[in-house]
Amino acid sequence: YLPDVAGALAFMYNLTGNNGQQIRNLVLSYKTLEDIFSGRITNWDDPEIQAINPPAVAANLPNQKILSVYRADASGENYLLSDYLLHMDPAGFEAYQGAMQVEVGQPAATWPTLQGGVTAPPGYPGWADGDLQGENGSDQAANFVSASSSDGAITYVETAYAKEHNMPVASVVNASGNSVQ
């Protein structure tokens, strides 16, 4: 017998809108996710994020830094996200892998990050500004994002972690153009 476990990857976030209320209906796409977790998009009110959200959400997005929380340890979540991005935008994600000086074109259990002594290449301002935070384990990533001091943070974890912390997860635009959980 071989036990098997499956869980959906969710994009848990902590974001207060311009109206002072927690945003609970954020929509992201593979491209915005790639740009957020690579450090290309650094602000919540970025036009790329505003364009895919309903008008009420887009107008409520704050001019606030995004704190992208990636898994610093080897994990299935890193593998799933890198595999997804390689399937959705091979050239874009491979360019990011190359900029981080890691193996290009293959999903990996470790998130592509800057290695010691390597400076952030042009086009990835989040790395230069320190807007990406590594956390070991889903518990740590979820705890970090759900903390009241982490307004503006987003991570990718198995859905149960977001539910456990009563945090919203972004809907993602699928191939047919619908946003789904």
Side-chain angles (χ1 to χ4, degrees), residues 13-27 44 53 56-62 151 167-169:
Y13 65 94
N14 183 351
L15 184 61
T16 303
N18 291 326
N19 64 2
Q21 301 297 312
Q22 184 180 46
I23 294 176
R24 298 197 65 85
N25 50 352
L26 183 67
V27 176
W44 281 110
N53 276 279
V57 175
N60 198 26
L61 291 169
D151 191 41
M167 296 300 292
V169 297

Side-chain angles (χ1 to χ4, degrees), residues 16-179:
T16 303
N18 291 326
N19 64 2
Q21 301 297 312
Q22 184 180 46
I23 294 176
R24 298 197 65 85
N25 50 352
L26 183 67
V27 176
L28 298 172
S29 67
Y30 75 85
K31 185 69 173 124
T32 54
L33 289 166
E34 178 180 57
D35 289 349
I36 287 169
F37 288 104
S38 69
R40 280 185 230 149
I41 290 181
T42 58
N43 253 45
W44 281 110
D45 65 350
D46 186 280
E48 192 176 325
I49 298 173
Q50 288 180 330
I52 61 172
N53 276 279
V57 175
N60 198 26
L61 291 169
N63 178 11
Q64 178 179 359
K65 288 279 190 189
I66 297 172
L67 180 56
S68 304
V69 179
Y70 64 90
R71 288 287 299 275
D73 57 330
S75 70
E77 287 90 346
N78 285 333
Y79 188 92
L80 287 172
L81 183 54
S82 62
D83 188 51
Y84 171 68
L85 295 175
L86 280 166
H87 277 86
M88 298 305 293
D89 184 25
F93 195 68
E94 287 174 0
Y96 172 63
Q97 288 176 316
M100 297 297 118
Q101 301 178 6
V102 298
E103 183 180 1
V104 173
Q106 296 295 317
T110 54
W111 191 248
T113 61
L114 293 171
Q115 302 305 308
V118 177
T119 59
Y124 302 97
W127 285 105
D129 296 342
D131 298 333
L132 286 96
Q133 169 77 32
E135 291 291 333
N136 289 325
S138 295
D139 282 328
Q140 294 291 2
N143 289 340
F144 185 94
V145 170
S146 66
S148 59
S149 60
S150 295
D151 191 41
I154 183 169
T155 193
Y156 47 95
V157 291
E158 198 273 326
T159 306
Y161 290 93
K163 288 185 176 202
E164 177 184 338
H165 288 85
N166 194 30
M167 296 300 292
V169 297
S171 295
V172 179
V173 178
N174 65 15
S176 63
N178 298 312
S179 56

